[in-house]
Amino acid sequence: MDDLVKQAMAKWPNVPDCYGWLGLDERGHWYLRDDAAQASGSFQSGAKGAKGSLLRHEKLIEFIHRNYAPDAQGAWFFQNGPQRVYVELALTPLVWRLSDDFQLMAQTGQTAQVQACYTDEEGRVYFNTSMGFGLLHTLDVGKAAEGLEQGLWQLETTEAANLQTAFAFRISPAADKKKPL
């Protein structure tokens, strides 16, 4: 986490959390979800306009990456100064890319060690790692198949509907916040 962010948190400790305004898609792209996008439906709905606007500002994306983490309940957030901005996920909190030497790198640029490899009923590939659970980018599925053929990992099966529970993350902190206690 950036030092300036830590200083802002100490200076303004009671800033309310933000929900629904930032989304991460299946390819590791960030989306800003203004009022109109949120009114169009959930980030995961596929409704026209619900995804929001693709973030393209490199410095902002780098800032998000450096300050992206999970809370104790498995909801991922971006610490924006003193404010915690909870992220709506298309599917998983991390999106992996696989290098030629089979090293995993998250959309944040961080590398991680593989703990397990999974596939679901749709044929999507996931990795559970030292950093957390995430979806493999579709462009790297062929490379993952090579790694499996070389015996680098054992492929396990999972069901997409059970990912949140099995791997302790929250797809929609905004929807969770609206649920009655």
Side-chain angles (χ1 to χ4, degrees):
M1 189 176 298
D2 289 358
D3 286 337
L4 287 174
V5 169
K6 291 176 186 175
Q7 292 169 11
M9 290 168 60
K11 187 172 183 179
W12 298 290
N14 298 318
V15 175
D17 296 336
C18 179
Y19 292 87
W21 285 85
L22 186 63
L24 178 68
D25 76 1
E26 301 94 335
R27 294 183 155 267
H29 298 128
W30 297 98
Y31 285 81
L32 183 61
R33 303 184 68 241
D34 61 12
D35 286 331
Q38 291 181 54
S40 297
S42 72
F43 186 70
Q44 306 80 11
S45 71
K48 184 178 180 181
K51 215 171 189 180
S53 301
L54 178 65
L55 287 180
R56 297 181 188 275
H57 192 282
E58 288 182 33
K59 295 293 182 188
L60 176 57
I61 293 168
E62 290 170 8
F63 182 63
I64 292 170
H65 289 166
R66 288 192 311 270
N67 297 286
Y68 182 59
D71 69 11
Q73 290 73 43
W76 285 70
F77 64 91
F78 151 55
Q79 189 71 46
N80 184 24
Q83 185 172 52
R84 198 170 266 198
V85 179
Y86 281 93
V87 178
E88 296 295 297
L89 305 173
L91 194 57
T92 62
L94 299 166
V95 178
W96 300 113
R97 295 304 310 258
L98 196 53
S99 69
D100 288 341
D101 64 351
F102 302 100
Q103 178 66 53
L104 280 180
M105 181 181 291
Q107 80 276 2
T108 61
Q110 296 170 288
T111 59
Q113 298 302 311
V114 174
Q115 295 171 342
C117 181
Y118 297 88
T119 188
D120 69 11
E121 64 276 8
E122 299 291 325
R124 293 176 289 220
V125 177
Y126 306 89
F127 285 96
N128 197 25
T129 73
S130 55
M131 191 173 146
F133 185 78
L135 175 69
L136 182 66
H137 194 289
T138 56
L139 293 177
D140 296 339
V141 171
K143 189 69 180 172
E146 289 178 39
L148 288 163
E149 287 174 1
Q150 291 179 26
L152 298 178
W153 321 288
Q154 294 296 316
L155 187 63
E156 301 177 41
T157 59
T158 189
E159 293 182 26
N162 298 332
L163 294 177
Q164 286 187 89
T165 303
F167 299 100
F169 67 90
R170 308 304 317 145
I171 286 179
S172 179
D176 292 346
K177 184 170 173 42
K178 292 177 185 176
K179 291 179 185 175
L181 297 176

